[in-house]
Amino acid sequence: MYFTMFLSSVGFTIVITSIWPYLKKIDDSADASFLGWLVAAYSLGQMVASPLFGLWSNHRPRREPLVCSILINISANIYYAYVYLLPSHNNIHMLLSRTFVGIGAGNVAVVRSYVAGATSLMERTSAMANMSACQALGFILGPALQAVLSFIGETGVNVKFIQLQVNMYTAPALLAACFGVINILLVILVLREHCVDDHGNRIPAINYTPEERVEVTPEVEGDIDQFAVLTSNVLFFVILFIFAVFETISTPLSMDMFAWTRKEAVLYNGIILAAIGFESILVFLVVKVVSKRVGDRPLLLGGLVLIFAGFFILLPWGNQYPKIQWTGIQNNTMPTIRLAPTQASNASLEPTGCPSEQTWCFFTPVIHLAQYITSDILIGVGYPTCNVMSYTLYSKILGPRPQGVYMGWLTASGSGARTLGPVFVSHVYTLLGPRWAFSIICGIVLAAVVLLSAMYKRLIAFSIRHRRIEE
């Protein structure tokens, strides 16, 4: 299950840095707005598929939806590798292939429901933290694998008998397909379904013996707190929305505020995101220990406070303004605002700084590098803490019943957040600037803190709510 979660995140990131040049190679007329749809297609596919795979796993052995979803993933990656061969509408085919990769990644709901059903309350946080660490490792290693495979080059190797060109664009997708084959073999040969109650006692589950329905034991009786379920979904949406915003805005923000070139922005932000990924893994390990002492809800609240502090620090202050990037000077008049220095590379100049088309650049104070790094560190602690605590609490609220559908809705809410976050921040940041963008984010986080505080007493485990286990 950990390996399946790892591959889900690798499937998203392993081609993410090469999507744009691959798109331009197969369709030179494609623009940046279509790239946004390409990136969002994965999350949209996952959002649609997650509840369906979750429902399937509730009524049939989990091996079935897992194998089906991984087969879809393998086929979609092979489809992506052959997109360049198709005679027309290559960009649409590329969009469809990424959508199907996302549909295959809908098995995350099955993985989470299995881990929830196979662990006791005492084991749950530790298992969920391990799963999040595997997911974070996938997000780190995906771009690293793409970087290694880039040495194959654009031409690569032509395998004539299957009409396949293995190059820096297709090799990552083919590697992801190979990982998928390994994953299917593990699911078929190794996975043995296991289900326990909140105390850790082994119990029979409905979906293990579909031919004869097993009566639900009295231990499982009792209603699920639907308000707590809805609150958990809202909180998970906010957490994923915020991190999607953070990932999306890092490159344009650093180019505008620090006058970095495209190459510098990609390099430095890649290093920063990798560092945050490793920081997240350390946080997951610490959370496993700390949660046993302080509980899940205080950690979730603390993580939201750290995220709020991170975005609050990013707000522009002072009277120093960013360097302006001018695309042209009219009427031969030199503007009074200082120009950003341009760096020469191979006798070509790349203008750097805050683009003059963004009118807020003229009156919004600059964000300093120290602010940016401090914010990265705080969000790098707050986000993974909130991430693992939110769906750990969610699984405990649902109790020992089959959780496939509910986990599907949770995964769908996260996918929706990853779809809407980049769209929101790209529009608000471009039109109104970082002060408005980060102020709105601070308001959203503050609203999440208020919601969590108001529902604090209801966000408790199913067995504690029904007084079967002491809190």
Side-chain angles (χ1 to χ4, degrees), residues 97-390:
S97 68
R98 290 303 295 166
T99 305
F100 282 117
V101 171
I103 289 172
N107 60 21
V108 168
V110 183
V111 174
R112 285 178 177 154
S113 69
Y114 176 82
V115 172
T119 54
S120 67
L121 283 183
M122 292 295 291
E123 299 167 324
R124 189 79 46 81
T125 303
S126 177
M128 291 293 187
N130 291 339
M131 193 165 61
S132 294
C134 291
Q135 193 174 23
L137 192 62
F139 280 120
I140 295 167
L141 291 183
L145 290 170
Q146 167 72 83
V148 171
L149 293 171
S150 66
F151 289 104
I152 297 174
E154 284 198 330
T155 306
V157 180
N158 197 4
V159 185
K160 292 184 179 179
F161 74 96
I162 54 174
Q163 292 186 302
L164 176 64
Q165 189 175 7
V166 181
N167 56 27
M168 61 185 287
Y169 304 129
T170 61
L174 295 171
L175 180 60
C178 292
F179 282 150
V181 172
I182 296 169
N183 199 3
I184 282 183
L185 292 174
L186 287 173
V187 168
I188 294 172
L189 301 175
V190 178
L191 179 65
R192 295 292 177 268
E193 299 205 31
H194 179 73
C195 191
V196 299
D197 61 17
D198 286 347
H199 298 274
N201 303 316
R202 189 177 178 87
I203 58 170
I206 295 170
N207 60 343
Y208 294 167
T209 52
E211 66 279 355
E212 53 175 347
R213 185 174 179 85
V214 176
E215 291 300 319
V216 179
T217 61
E219 180 70 20
V220 187
E221 288 180 356
D223 60 315
I224 296 171
D225 188 344
Q226 297 297 336
F227 283 106
V229 168
L230 180 61
T231 301
S232 298
N233 274 282
V234 171
L235 290 173
F236 192 69
F237 178 90
V238 169
I239 292 160
L240 269 291
F241 180 88
I242 287 162
F243 194 71
V245 165
F246 175 74
E247 277 188 315
T248 304
I249 205 61
S250 58
T251 300
L253 178 71
S254 58
M255 291 176 71
D256 292 348
M257 294 295 158
F258 315 136
W260 287 349
T261 62
R262 287 190 296 269
K263 185 177 180 181
E264 287 171 339
V266 170
L267 174 63
Y268 298 151
N269 282 299
I271 293 170
I272 288 170
L273 285 174
I276 289 174
F278 284 112
E279 181 187 12
S280 298
I281 293 174
L282 293 176
V283 171
F284 291 136
L285 298 176
V286 172
V287 158
K288 290 165 63 174
V289 178
V290 176
S291 64
K292 293 179 181 178
R293 294 182 176 273
V294 303
D296 300 333
R297 291 173 298 174
L299 277 176
L300 179 57
L301 186 60
L304 285 171
V305 170
L306 284 175
I307 291 173
F308 175 82
F311 278 100
F312 187 79
I313 286 170
L314 269 183
L315 290 172
W317 304 101
N319 53 10
Q320 185 179 345
Y321 296 92
K323 298 170 183 178
I324 304 297
Q325 174 196 139
W326 293 89
T327 53
I329 301 171
Q330 298 176 349
N331 298 330
N332 296 321
T333 57
M334 182 62 71
T336 55
I337 300 174
R338 58 188 177 142
L339 300 176
T342 54
Q343 298 185 3
S345 176
N346 298 329
S348 64
L349 293 174
E350 180 187 334
T352 59
C354 203
S356 57
E357 301 85 43
Q358 296 177 168
T359 54
W360 55 262
C361 293
F362 296 98
F363 55 81
T364 302
V366 71
I367 295 171
H368 299 282
L369 185 60
Q371 285 177 266
Y372 186 60
I373 298 297
T374 306
S375 173
D376 289 342
I377 293 169
L378 289 172
I379 294 170
V381 176
Y383 167 71
T385 303
C386 289
N387 187 29
V388 68
M389 285 300 104
S390 57

Side-chain angles (χ1 to χ4, degrees), residues 15-96:
V15 298
I16 204 71
T17 56
S18 64
I19 276 185
W20 178 239
Y22 188 31
L23 176 63
K24 293 298 286 183
K25 184 179 180 181
I26 63 172
D27 183 8
D28 192 49
S29 63
D31 57 13
S33 63
F34 191 79
L35 174 65
W37 283 108
L38 266 181
V39 175
Y42 175 94
S43 297
L44 285 170
Q46 190 180 47
M47 181 172 65
V48 171
S50 295
L52 300 177
F53 282 126
L55 180 64
W56 188 352
S57 72
N58 273 3
H59 299 283
R60 297 287 298 172
R62 290 188 178 92
R63 189 180 284 110
E64 292 179 12
L66 284 173
V67 170
C68 178
S69 61
I70 300 166
L71 280 173
I72 291 171
N73 196 292
I74 293 169
S75 305
N77 277 301
I78 294 171
Y79 182 17
Y80 180 88
Y82 277 102
V83 158
Y84 71 95
L85 268 181
L86 300 168
S88 63
H89 301 100
N90 304 71
N91 58 342
I92 302 300
H93 287 291
M94 194 172 180
L95 182 70
L96 288 172

